[in-house]
Amino acid sequence: MAKAQTIEAGHGKDGVEARIRDLLSRMSIEEKVGQLNQVEGSAHDVVHALGADLRAGQIGSVINQVDPATVNELQRIAREESRLGIPLLIGRDVIHGFKTVAPIPLGQAATWNPDLVEACARMAGEEAAAAGVNWTFAPMIDICRDPRWGRIAESLGEDPVLTSILGAAMVRGFQGETLSDPTSLAACAKHFAGYGASEAGRDYNTTNLPENELRNVHLPPFRAAAEAGAASLMTSFSDIDGIPATANTLLLRDVLRGEWDYDGMVVSDWDAIKQLCTHGLTETEYEAAYQAAMAGVDMDMVASAYRNHLADLIACGRIELAVLDRMVANVLRMKFRLGLFDGRTTADAEPSRMASRSLAKQAALQSCVLLKNDHQTLPLDPTTLTRLAVIGPLADDPVEQLGTWIFDGDPERSVTPLAALESLAADTALSLHHVRALATTRSHDQSGFDEAEAAARDADAVLVFLGEEAILSGEAHCRADIDLPGAQVELVKRLKATGKPVIAVIQAGRPLTLASVLDHLDALLFAWHPGSLGGAAIADLLFGRACPSGKLPVSFPKMVGQIPVYYGHKNTGRPPSPDTIIHIDDIQAGAAQTSLGMTAFHLDAGYEPLFRFGFGLSYTSFAYSGLILGSEAIAPDETLTVQVDVTNTGEVAGEEVVQLYLRDRFGSVTRPVRELKAFARVALEPGETRQVRFELTVEDLAFYKRNQTRGAETGAFDVWVGGDSAADLHAEFALTEDSVALP
Ligand code: NOJ
C-alpha cells in the first residue's frame, strides 16, 4: 500500500516543517511538555480554572468544552496571553452526530454506503465546528466479533474491508477537503489496536491476538485511515499479548511509524498512561510516562503523567530531547494542518438544519435491515388498514433512539416512530392505538400487558417497538446475556397469541440473540439506534414509502455461547457441514462417541449464525447471473475484472448491495473461508438489469504471511458474488506467481 498520505496544510509540507522547527527552537522544556498535556475542560469556571496554565503554556489541548464563547475565550488566552501564542486543540467525542444525530456507527455500517457515511461525518463535523471543536475522537474502527461488548455500537462491525472503507470515508467526512477549513475537524482513528477483541466482550479487558491475526484482521482499518489522512490516532485501553497498547512499541513504533511512515499525532486514551500502573506494567507513574513516551504516545489524555514527569525524564537523560521534540512536532503539525496558527476561527454558524435532517433520515433509511418478512407482511398499506396497535417501550422515545455517545445530541430534533406514524396516518382513515406496555426495555413489570393485548385484539396489525435503551450499549456497557432484556419476549408472546400479524421494530446498539422471539414475529425490521430521524425512516419503511436496503455488517448469533461467530473464519481441519452435524435432541441413547460428526460445531447451535453477515431482505428480489472473470489466471501486476448482472425481479424499485467474496484456497498461513473484497450499492427499477464490474488487484489477494510480511501467494482463488456472505454464484481463477513483498 502507498505510504501514509500527507495532509495538505495552508503553507505546504516543507513550510509547516520549517515553522515547527522554528517554534521548537524557541520553546522551553516546560512549554514543550505543555503541548503534550490534554486537560478536562467541562467545568463551569473552566476559563478561570485553566487560565494560569494556559498563560504559562502548560496546556496543549482541552477536552469536553463545547460552549462557543468559552472555547473562544480559552483560545484567545492561549493565542494572545501565552508567550508563544500556540492555539489549542479542542477535542470532543463527535461520534455519529453532534446536535443532529445519524444512526450509530454500526447502523451506518449497515448502509454499506461510503458516500453517505462520509456525508454523515461531514454533517457532524460541521455542527461541532460551529461550537469551536476542532478535533473529534472518531472514527472508531476496532474490528468487533463479540456483540456482548457494548462498544460494538460504535464500531463498523466484524469485517476488515467494510470497516476500512467506511472508516476512511468517515475520516474524509470529518476532515473535509482541507483540514484548515473552519468546518473541518481533525479525525482520530481509534483504538489502536485490538480493543475490539476484549476477552468475554467485557470492556477494557485483556486481548490476546496473535500477530498474524492482528495484522490481517485488526490493523488494516487503521492503515486505511492513515492513508486517508487521519490526523491522529488513539491508543487502546487494553493490553495486547501482555503489553498495554499505550506502551506497545510493536504497534506504535514498528508498525505505525516504521512500516506505515505515519506522521500524524498519537494520543493516549483517557488516563491510560497512568493505567499502565494498574495494568501492572509499571510500578510508578514516572515509569509509565517513560514507557508511553518511548513507545510513541505523543499526547497524554488527562492523566497529567507527562506533565508530572517528562521534564525530569529529560533532565536525567533517560529521554533524549530529540524524542520530546518529535512528540511536540507531531502535536504542532496537527495544529498547523488545522490552520490554527493561520487565523482559523470557530465556524460562524451551524449548517442548514433541513439538510442535516434529510441526511440523517437518508442514513437511517439505508441502515435499517429487514430480517424477516413472512407472507409479505410488510409493507403495510395505510389505505386498507383501519386500526394499528403501536406497542412497546421504544415507540415514542426521542432520547433512546439516538443511541450511545450523544453528549450534544438534541432530542428536540428527534422524530419518534409514533410521531412519524401519526403524521403518515393523518391523511388516511387509519387510527393508531399506542400502548407503551413496559416502562423501559429492562422492565419486568407486566402490568401494562393487558392493555397492550386489548389494543392488539382490536387492531388489524400490531407494530411492536422493542430493543435496548441507549445506556445498554457503548463504553463500559457490556452484556453477558444479549437477549431482548426485561419482559419483552413475554410481551411479544402475548401479542402473538391474539392471532394478529405482529411486526417488530428493534432498536439496539448491538446484534441481539433473537431466536426466542423470532418465531412469534411475522416481520422484523432491525433499526439499530437510528438517530434523530429514525422514526421518520422507520415509518417510511413500514408503509412502503421506501424499500429496505440495509445489510448486516456483523453476524447475529443464535445464542451467546456461539460467540465469536463470524463469516470470515478459518476452515479448520474438520469443517462442519449440514451432513456432519447433529442436534443434541437427536442423539440416540448410547450413541458411540465417534457417531457425532467429529466436525467443528456445537451440539445445540450448529455452526451458523442466526443471521449472517451481509444479509438483509428487501420488498423486492434480486437475481444474479452472468458472472464473468476477465481471465482465468493473472500475474501479480495484472488486474482481474469481475462482472456480474444483477436484476430486480420484483415489483418495486429497490437498492441492492452487491458483494464480492474471495477465498484463497491455500496459504503459508491458513486463510479465511471467505473474505469480502468489494461491494457496490445499486438502485434498480422493477425488471431492470445492471452490469456491475469490480476490479481486483494484488492488494486484494495479499495478506500477512507466515513471516509477517505482506504479499500474495500463487495458487487458486474462489470468487463469489451475491447479496450476502453465503453468495453462491461462483467462479475461480489462479495467481500465476507470488507477488513481491508489498510495503
Ligand atoms: C474513553 C474512550 O475509550 C474514548 O473512545 C474516548 O474518545 C475518550 N474516552 C474521550 O472521551
Side-chain angles (χ1 to χ4, degrees):
M1 274 192 223
K3 294 216 159 174
Q5 227 174 50
T6 300
I7 306 153
E8 265 321 301
H11 301 295
K13 186 172 161 70
D14 292 346
V16 165
E17 295 307 317
R19 290 170 80 185
I20 292 172
R21 278 195 301 278
D22 169 57
L23 253 182
L24 281 172
S25 72
R26 292 187 283 132
M27 292 169 84
S28 67
I29 298 284
E30 287 66 30
E31 284 165 332
K32 288 179 180 174
V33 172
Q35 284 306 303
L36 311 181
N37 182 29
Q38 182 182 56
V39 298
E40 221 280 326
S42 63
H44 263 335
D45 61 346
V46 60
V47 173
H48 174 71
L50 299 184
D53 280 347
L54 287 171
R55 290 182 186 93
Q58 300 287 298
I59 295 174
S61 172
V62 174
I63 181 172
N64 288 345
Q65 178 52 247
V66 291
D67 170 56
T70 307
V71 169
N72 286 342
E73 180 57 9
L74 296 172
Q75 286 286 27
R76 192 198 61 74
I77 296 173
R79 280 183 167 128
E80 296 175 14
E81 297 184 18
S82 74
R83 192 175 74 88
L84 293 167
I86 302 177
L88 296 166
L89 294 171
I90 305 292
R92 183 66 158 177
D93 289 287
V94 182
I95 306 297
H96 55 112
F98 192 67
K99 296 237 168 69
T100 311
V101 180
I104 54 170
L106 192 58
Q108 290 189 43
T111 69
W112 295 57
N113 186 337
D115 293 341
L116 190 55
V117 167
E118 179 176 337
C120 288
R122 186 81 209 132
M123 166 187 88
E126 286 177 354
E127 287 187 3
V133 175
N134 53 35
W135 184 20
T136 178
F137 303 112
M140 182 181 123
I141 47 178
D142 298 313
I143 296 298
C144 182
R145 295 172 169 181
D146 190 335
R148 292 172 298 184
W149 193 49
R151 300 200 80 168
I152 196 170
E154 303 169 45
S155 84
L156 298 166
E158 75 182 41
D159 185 68
V161 167
L162 185 61
T163 299
S164 296
I165 290 173
L166 299 182
M170 284 186 171
V171 169
R172 289 194 300 275
F174 285 123
Q175 299 197 164
E177 287 202 354
T178 67
L179 208 45
S180 57
D181 184 304
T183 63
S184 294
L185 305 188
C188 184
K190 69 188 189 185
H191 305 84
F192 196 63
Y195 187 35
S198 300
E199 277 185 356
R202 198 148 53 80
D203 209 0
Y204 317 123
N205 208 3
T206 300
T207 70
N208 279 305
L209 291 168
E211 187 177 340
N212 194 257
E213 186 177 342
L214 179 71
R215 286 180 176 277
N216 279 321
V217 176
H218 294 264
L219 294 187
F222 287 93
R223 183 157 186 176
E227 289 180 1
S232 65
L233 244 74
M234 186 188 295
T235 59
S236 155
F237 277 130
S238 45
D239 61 334
I240 179 163
D241 197 14
I243 315 287
T246 302
N248 198 303
T249 51
L250 168 72
L251 285 170
L252 297 173
R253 249 201 269 145
D254 303 349
V255 173
L256 183 66
R257 302 290 186 193
E259 294 173 30
W260 301 352
D261 204 11
Y262 181 67
D263 71 352
M265 191 262 267
V266 175
V267 62
S268 77
D269 203 339
W270 190 278
D271 217 23
I273 298 182
K274 252 197 209 153
Q275 290 168 18
L276 294 178
C277 301
T278 327
H279 271 289
L281 184 81
T282 57
E283 202 170 351
T284 60
E285 187 188 290
Y286 176 85
E287 198 57 26
Y290 171 75
Q291 290 224 19
M294 292 307 285
V297 176
D298 300 316
M299 184 175 276
D300 172 355
M301 185 183 282
V302 312
S304 295
Y306 281 176
R307 177 173 186 163
N308 295 340
H309 306 292
L310 274 191
D312 288 348
L313 284 159
I314 299 283
C316 73
R318 273 192 84 194
I319 295 184
E320 288 175 17
L321 195 55
V323 173
L324 179 67
D325 281 356
R326 231 178 3 249
M327 295 160 74
V328 179
N330 291 337
V331 174
L332 294 177
R333 189 174 302 113
M334 183 160 146
K335 294 186 173 183
F336 276 112
R337 289 171 170 177
L338 276 164
L340 289 170
F341 286 98
D342 299 305
R344 174 184 170 130
T345 50
T346 297
D348 288 342
E350 257 192 63
S352 137
R353 262 202 214 192
M354 285 306 287
S356 298
R357 283 171 64 89
S358 130
L359 182 64
K361 181 171 174 187
Q362 188 60 16
L365 279 170
Q366 293 192 13
S367 71
C368 292
V369 185
L370 184 63
L371 291 177
K372 182 173 182 182
N373 193 18
D374 281 359
H375 316 299
Q376 299 184 327
T377 307
L378 290 176
L380 299 170
D381 181 353
T383 60
T384 58
L385 293 171
T386 55
R387 299 167 87 82
L388 201 53
V390 181
I391 314 285
L394 295 181
D396 193 28
D397 200 319
V399 175
E400 303 306 341
Q401 69 186 46
L402 300 180
T404 187
W405 281 126
I406 45 130
F407 289 151
D408 308 289
D410 177 2
E412 305 246 307
R413 299 186 187 194
S414 289
V415 177
T416 67
L418 182 66
L421 289 166
E422 278 168 347
S423 88
L424 283 185
D427 303 333
T428 69
L430 177 63
S431 72
L432 305 177
H433 186 171
H434 172 225
V435 181
R436 190 172 174 111
L438 287 163
T440 70
T441 65
R442 291 161 288 130
S443 171
H444 291 278
D445 175 0
Q446 303 188 9
S447 54
F449 283 18
D450 287 346
E451 191 191 351
E453 190 182 321
R457 283 195 195 289
D458 201 29
D460 304 319
V462 181
L463 286 175
V464 58
F465 289 85
L466 308 167
E468 290 181 321
E469 282 115 42
I471 192 75
L472 297 187
S473 58
E475 184 177 348
H477 301 161
C478 304
R479 298 179 60 203
D481 171 354
I482 56 169
D483 276 357
L484 284 166
Q488 294 184 85
V489 176
E490 287 74 16
L491 174 62
V492 169
K493 288 181 181 164
R494 286 280 294 271
L495 297 173
K496 184 62 186 170
T498 64
K500 299 297 167 70
V502 178
I503 299 141
V505 177
I506 293 185
Q507 299 174 60
R510 58 161 63 77
L512 299 173
T513 42
L514 297 169
S516 56
V517 84
L518 203 58
D519 286 347
H520 306 289
L521 299 174
D522 296 278
L524 168 58
L525 186 70
F526 204 89
W528 318 98
H529 286 129
S532 306
L533 273 288
I538 288 167
D540 277 7
L541 290 166
L542 293 174
F543 281 150
R545 292 180 155 213
C547 185
S549 60
K551 301 273 191 169
L552 295 180
V554 62
S555 309
F556 277 43
K558 292 175 196 158
M559 53 180 94
V560 152
Q562 286 186 293
I563 296 171
V565 58
Y566 53 96
Y567 86 93
H569 58 82
K570 303 290 183 69
N571 201 36
T572 80
R574 293 191 168 199
S577 68
D579 300 339
T580 65
I581 69 168
I582 184 165
H583 191 267
I584 192 164
D585 295 342
D586 300 328
I587 301 172
Q588 302 289 320
Q593 173 163 349
T594 51
S595 68
L596 297 188
M598 310 304 281
T599 60
F601 70 99
H602 288 117
L603 287 170
D604 43 8
Y607 58 95
E608 305 226 65
L610 184 62
F611 295 111
R612 66 178 72 98
F613 178 83
F615 174 77
L617 299 170
S618 166
Y619 294 153
T620 187
S621 48
F622 300 98
Y624 288 79
S625 60
L627 177 61
I628 298 173
L629 306 192
S631 171
E632 285 176 1
I634 57 164
D637 59 349
E638 290 175 337
T639 296
L640 180 77
T641 57
V642 178
Q643 69 185 47
V644 69
D645 292 330
V646 189
T647 305
N648 180 345
T649 51
E651 309 281 301
V652 295
E655 295 195 6
E656 168 72 328
V657 178
V658 181
Q659 302 161 39
L660 184 154
Y661 294 87
L662 276 193
R663 178 173 184 177
D664 181 355
R665 285 195 204 149
F666 305 97
S668 58
V669 292
T670 55
R671 309 290 299 120
V673 294
R674 284 191 184 204
E675 294 177 284
L676 178 76
K677 290 296 171 183
F679 57 90
R681 193 176 243 279
V682 289
L684 293 167
E685 294 298 320
E688 184 184 353
T689 297
R690 288 251 307 263
Q691 189 180 77
V692 178
R693 267 169 77 94
F694 298 105
E695 298 204 329
L696 301 177
T697 69
V698 71
E699 286 287 335
D700 300 301
L701 313 185
F703 61 99
Y704 283 90
K705 301 186 283 187
R706 191 179 294 201
N707 62 3
Q708 313 302 358
T709 65
R710 204 165 68 95
E713 291 177 348
T714 180
F717 288 79
D718 295 293
V719 185
W720 294 268
V721 181
D724 63 42
S725 56
D728 56 8
L729 191 60
H730 173 257
E732 56 189 74
F733 68 95
L735 181 70
T736 53
E737 57 191 271
D738 288 355
S739 74
V740 295
L742 299 170

